Amino acid sequence: MLSFKLSALLAPFFLGSLASAALRDGRAHGNMAPSPLVPRVTAPTEPLKSANGSTLPPITTIYHFDQLIDHTNPSLGTFKQRYWHTWEWYKSGGPIIITTPGEGNADGYEGYLTNVTINGQIAQEANGATVVIEHRFYGLSNPFANLSVASLQYHTLPQATADLVYFAQTATLAMPGGDNVQPGKAPWILIGGSYAGALTAWTMASHPGVFWAGYASSAVVEAITDFWQYFEPIRQNMPANCSADVEAVITHVDQVFTNGTAAEISDLKSNWGLGSVTHLDDVAGALRNNLWDWQLLDPTTGPGSAFFNFCDALEVKSGQNAPASGWGLDNAVTAWGKYWNETYYEYLCDKADPQTCLGTYDSSEATFTNITVDNSARSWEWIVCNDVGFFQEGPPGDETAIVSRLVQPGYDERQCAYYFPEQFGNATTPAPNANATNAFYNGWDVKVDRLFIANGQRDPWRYATVSSGDVNITSTSTQPIVVGNGYHCSDLGTSAGLVDPTVLQVQQESLKYMKTWLAEWTPSTNASSFATYNSAETSNGISSSPAPAVPAVIGGKAVNAWFRQFGSN
Ligand SMILES: *[C@@H]1O[C@H](CO)[C@@H](O)[C@H](O)[C@H]1NC(C)=O
Ligand SMILES: *[C@@H]1O[C@H](CO)[C@@H](O)[C@H](O)[C@H]1NC(C)=O
Ligand SMILES: *[C@@H]1O[C@H](CO)[C@@H](O)[C@H](O)[C@H]1NC(C)=O
Ligand SMILES: *[C@@H]1O[C@H](CO)[C@@H](O)[C@H](O)[C@H]1NC(C)=O
Ligand SMILES: *[C@@H]1O[C@H](CO)[C@@H](O)[C@H](O)[C@H]1NC(C)=O
Ligand SMILES: *[C@@H]1O[C@H](CO)[C@@H](O)[C@H](O)[C@H]1NC(C)=O
Ligand SMILES: *[C@@H]1O[C@H](CO)[C@@H](O)[C@H](O)[C@H]1NC(C)=O
Ligand SMILES: *[C@@H]1O[C@H](CO)[C@@H](O)[C@H](O)[C@H]1NC(C)=O
Ligand SMILES: *[C@@H]1O[C@H](CO)[C@@H](O)[C@H](O)[C@H]1NC(C)=O
Ligand SMILES: *[C@@H]1O[C@H](CO)[C@@H](O)[C@H](O)[C@H]1NC(C)=O
Ligand SMILES: *[C@@H]1O[C@H](CO)[C@@H](O)[C@H](O)[C@H]1NC(C)=O
């Protein structure tokens, strides 16, 4: 892909800055919200050397761990969980630094083994070894050969936290001495960004004593069903002229689609070439894509990013920038339609027709029925529909809207019923049990000793983190909260700190805390005996599911061209 190569030149580390991969990964169609996935980072290609100068195995080497399928019932056996591991900086006594990318195939995340990320920086400072482990039900780490509803009964937050614990307590790492570094014998540091950042906090909170310290970046700890606030950091930080014009267009779209005549509605759909899309909420919802592109931004992003191309298309007229108030509705509607028609539609949907790419009402489409493993959109959707929501919708009536109010939680809940009919029975709009997740893990009020929390002011996910504008969570010396001016998980990438001093500050604070906390670590004989399964985690109803019924079947058309192009790389 051309964009991939360009980004490698302009932004050597964060692929997310220009390539579409970070955003597109895990999305099944052009109207599906992006998950809070951690960006990939370009890893060094030259072979790494160990502390004694010997050449290490390539960082792309894949190791397999025999993970329990069901931590409540070990007799069900194990599956192969993939992980990556290196020991470039390791010296005996150093920490084991482990991360999971969370809701995606972990291939390509080898940068999280080296000092192009904060993980490797900590390893370099503290003589640590690094591990990247694939989350169950993503990539090729699957307990079963498919993603049917019956299989997904084992895809729960408690099973995922227990996986990390069981790995730490029982894995034999390939490095010299790697059979003798279990918690208690060596300090373990758990790092995660985004969903995996929340998982870091949840794992440490529900299994105290296993991971000595943690780092949670852009951690979405508060499950929120109607997550309209996703668009708030975007609205607040995008150019004023662009937000004014987007707001004007969205207000107009909502008026016409709600109260307009058939002819007015048809005309407006055609402005974006979407006359063939049957449902108006699919048309209005599709316009969220230009805003979702904000999630691809990083402090290292150069010119030509999708988000700023969009704003330029709306705001630059005959070489002149609009004033802060924008050019107004008429220009904005036409400019948006023209940009969408000529440039953006193909970027989003490739050669697929609009109804296939953007329609969400045909429950027989592969989007909803494809249960092939490594379909991370489906695996993430399962967590979304059961546990966390995070539906990215139009705001309540009294808030400024840059996203259509025609998309509301029912829009996504309906699709949950399409994806997982056996799970939700006859419910047409099943609501995720976000309250149970928050009740157990404490949401914004999560309290964990020696957990460093990093956030970015411009992160669209910020309102689900402890740095949300809706709460005041105090930073303490045992659970410091440090906010930079970064975007989503910016502080995990070394390169972002090199261009943004506020992000560098976050990284340096984290190194300081890790140093202090590691100095406080002492060996203990009991750390490995902590239970890998916290039965309380299920007693509150987190992903406790009805008995599985008829498994889903593979069917329908090919996944749309858009997903083929952007869905993996
Ligand atoms: C150097 O380290 C490698 C593994 O990292 C080990 O296999 C080798 O035995 C070590 N060599 C010496 C001389 O210590
Ligand atoms: C990062 O690690 C590489 C070796 O893998 C080393 O050459 C480089 O100096 C390190 N970067 C910093 C800033 O220490
Ligand atoms: C899913 O895989 C399991 C075994 O891993 C199998 O028993 C089941 O029949 C499969 N379901 C479908 C719908 O293919
Ligand atoms: C549609 O018209 C009704 C009645 O005039 C009005 O209350 C409502 O606000 C309008 N809806 C939109 C989205 O403009
Ligand atoms: C976008 O393309 C459609 C045809 O597919 C056309 O009807 C419409 O006028 C175009 N929009 C603009 C703003 O040019
Ligand atoms: C107006 O839009 C241009 C082009 O996108 C942008 O460079 C500029 O910062 C914007 N100005 C204001 C005041 O929003
Ligand atoms: C189903 O998903 C898999 C994994 O993402 C993908 O390779 C395959 O092309 C999809 N099949 C269909 C029919 O969409
Ligand atoms: C679904 O609806 C049918 C008929 O209304 C009813 O018999 C059945 O029990 C319902 N199933 C569930 C899981 O609610
Ligand atoms: C979840 O909690 C919120 C806030 O406490 C409450 O308004 C809502 O009704 C609850 N939802 C459910 C399904 O219990
Ligand atoms: C957080 O604290 C600040 C300063 O005390 C206050 O202005 C603000 O209203 C508080 N926000 C919330 C959501 O409580
Ligand atoms: C493990 O040992 C520490 C002291 O080394 C003690 O504080 C802690 O309570 C023990 N935990 C368990 C589960 O026995």
Side-chain angles (χ1 to χ4, degrees):
M1 239 192 305
L2 180 64
S3 58
F4 176 86
K5 288 185 193 121
L6 275 175
S7 82
L9 286 175
L10 294 173
F13 300 122
F14 264 68
L15 299 189
S17 47
L18 210 132
S20 350
L23 173 67
R24 307 302 174 194
D25 245 17
R27 289 182 61 190
H29 60 74
N31 239 323
M32 184 178 188
S35 81
L37 186 62
V38 176
R40 285 195 179 84
V41 178
T42 307
T45 46
E46 68 278 10
L48 302 181
K49 298 217 188 295
S50 76
N52 75 12
S54 68
T55 298
L56 293 168
I59 52 175
T60 48
T61 306
I62 298 174
Y63 300 92
H64 292 95
F65 175 68
D66 291 317
Q67 183 61 269
L68 295 176
I69 292 172
D70 182 358
H71 293 272
T72 69
N73 178 13
S75 71
L76 265 188
T78 60
F79 68 97
K80 298 287 180 198
Q81 187 171 21
R82 300 198 300 176
Y83 68 101
W84 291 255
H85 165 52
T86 197
W87 54 97
E88 181 182 12
W89 311 105
Y90 185 72
K91 293 195 181 137
S92 178
I96 312 300
I97 298 154
I98 182 169
T99 197
T100 173
E103 71 279 23
N105 185 314
D107 222 337
Y109 281 88
E110 297 85 10
Y112 287 84
L113 297 172
T114 80
N115 66 6
V116 302
T117 57
I118 196 71
N119 307 45
Q121 286 194 39
I122 296 169
Q124 184 172 351
E125 282 227 348
N127 301 323
T130 48
V131 176
V132 170
I133 188 164
E134 192 163 65
H135 191 296
R136 67 165 54 205
F137 285 96
Y138 296 99
L140 304 183
S141 296
N142 294 278
F144 306 103
N146 57 50
L147 303 175
S148 72
V149 166
S151 300
L152 288 168
Q153 300 306 309
Y154 300 87
H155 183 26
T156 67
L157 302 178
Q159 296 281 6
T161 64
D163 284 349
L164 296 169
V165 171
Y166 186 67
F167 181 88
Q169 293 186 341
T170 61
T172 295
L173 300 177
M175 67 183 191
D179 57 348
N180 199 30
V181 288
Q182 291 79 24
K185 297 176 183 164
W188 281 64
I189 300 175
L190 182 58
I191 301 183
S194 206
Y195 158 67
L199 197 64
T200 295
W202 297 338
T203 303
M204 292 177 74
S206 57
H207 301 270
V210 178
F211 296 95
W212 180 251
Y215 184 129
S217 172
S218 295
V220 290
V221 292
E222 176 81 5
I224 302 174
T225 298
D226 183 356
F227 190 42
W228 63 271
Q229 296 98 329
Y230 175 92
F231 296 103
E232 282 297 284
I234 304 175
R235 191 177 65 78
Q236 293 157 6
N237 289 290
M238 69 196 279
N241 48 18
C242 194
S243 75
D245 277 337
V246 170
E247 185 192 342
V249 173
I250 293 302
T251 304
H252 177 65
V253 165
D254 280 2
Q255 270 165 8
V256 171
F257 284 3
T258 309
N259 289 327
T261 63
E264 286 165 346
I265 291 171
S266 165
D267 272 3
L268 193 54
K269 285 165 75 176
S270 294
N271 183 62
W272 288 275
L274 301 179
S276 64
V277 178
T278 0
H279 288 83
L280 294 179
D281 50 7
D282 284 340
V283 176
L287 302 178
R288 289 175 297 182
N289 277 288
N290 297 107
L291 301 164
W292 279 328
D293 286 335
W294 181 271
Q295 195 172 315
L296 296 172
L297 298 175
D298 179 79
T300 63
T301 304
S305 66
F307 185 87
F308 286 105
N309 284 348
F310 165 67
C311 280
D312 288 351
L314 266 61
E315 303 309 326
V316 184
K317 197 166 64 170
S318 319
Q320 258 209 305
N321 282 357
S325 55
W327 293 119
L329 177 66
D330 289 348
N331 185 76
V333 169
T334 308
W336 195 340
K338 196 165 142 52
Y339 172 68
W340 182 278
N341 280 352
E342 291 171 5
T343 306
Y344 195 74
Y345 181 80
E346 194 173 337
Y347 167 75
L348 182 66
C349 298
D350 197 12
K351 306 282 178 232
D353 68 273
Q355 180 66 28
T356 306
C357 177
L358 303 169
T360 64
Y361 280 83
D362 181 353
S363 62
S364 72
E365 285 203 356
T367 297
F368 303 112
T369 60
N370 187 349
I371 64 168
T372 310
V373 299
D374 200 16
N375 177 0
S376 47
R378 180 176 177 84
S379 298
W380 174 242
E381 199 64 15
W382 175 259
I383 296 297
V384 160
C385 293
N386 283 290
D387 301 315
V388 295
F390 292 140
F391 300 140
Q392 295 156 28
E393 323 289 29
D398 53 344
E399 302 282 347
T400 307
I402 55 170
V403 162
S404 169
R405 290 184 233 273
L406 295 186
V407 281
Q408 292 298 326
Y411 178 82
D412 290 275
E413 290 165 352
R414 170 180 50 78
Q415 295 175 62
C416 288
Y418 294 173
Y419 275 102
F420 312 113
E422 305 86 350
Q423 179 76 350
F424 298 119
N426 293 351
T428 50
T429 54
N433 204 349
N435 286 6
T437 303
N438 293 330
F440 186 75
Y441 294 114
N442 281 329
W444 284 313
D445 295 322
V446 64
K447 291 282 177 293
V448 178
D449 276 352
R450 293 181 298 274
L451 175 63
F452 183 85
I453 301 184
N455 282 313
Q457 205 55 250
R458 292 180 282 182
D459 178 7
W461 291 90
R462 180 163 56 81
Y463 278 72
T465 75
V466 295
S467 305
S468 162
D470 292 337
V471 288
N472 279 317
I473 308 292
T474 309
S475 172
T476 65
S477 60
T478 52
Q479 187 182 283
I481 303 167
V482 185
V483 187
N485 198 34
Y487 297 85
H488 192 53
C489 300
S490 297
D491 47 281
L492 292 179
T494 300
S495 62
L498 301 179
V499 301
D500 185 328
T502 70
V503 174
L504 185 63
Q505 166 83 13
V506 173
Q507 295 171 336
Q508 286 174 342
E509 288 279 305
S510 79
L511 292 172
K512 196 185 77 188
Y513 276 104
M514 290 302 161
K515 190 171 181 191
T516 304
W517 292 336
L518 286 171
E520 292 166 0
W521 179 82
T522 51
S524 78
T525 49
N526 65 12
S528 287
S529 65
F530 288 101
T532 55
Y533 199 78
N534 181 342
S535 57
E537 277 183 275
T538 40
S539 67
N540 283 57
I542 300 164
S543 284
S544 68
S545 318
V550 194
V553 290
I554 300 177
K557 296 174 245 170
V559 135
N560 68 56
W562 175 89
F563 184 64
R564 276 202 307 276
Q565 182 176 357
F566 298 114
S568 57
N569 74 348

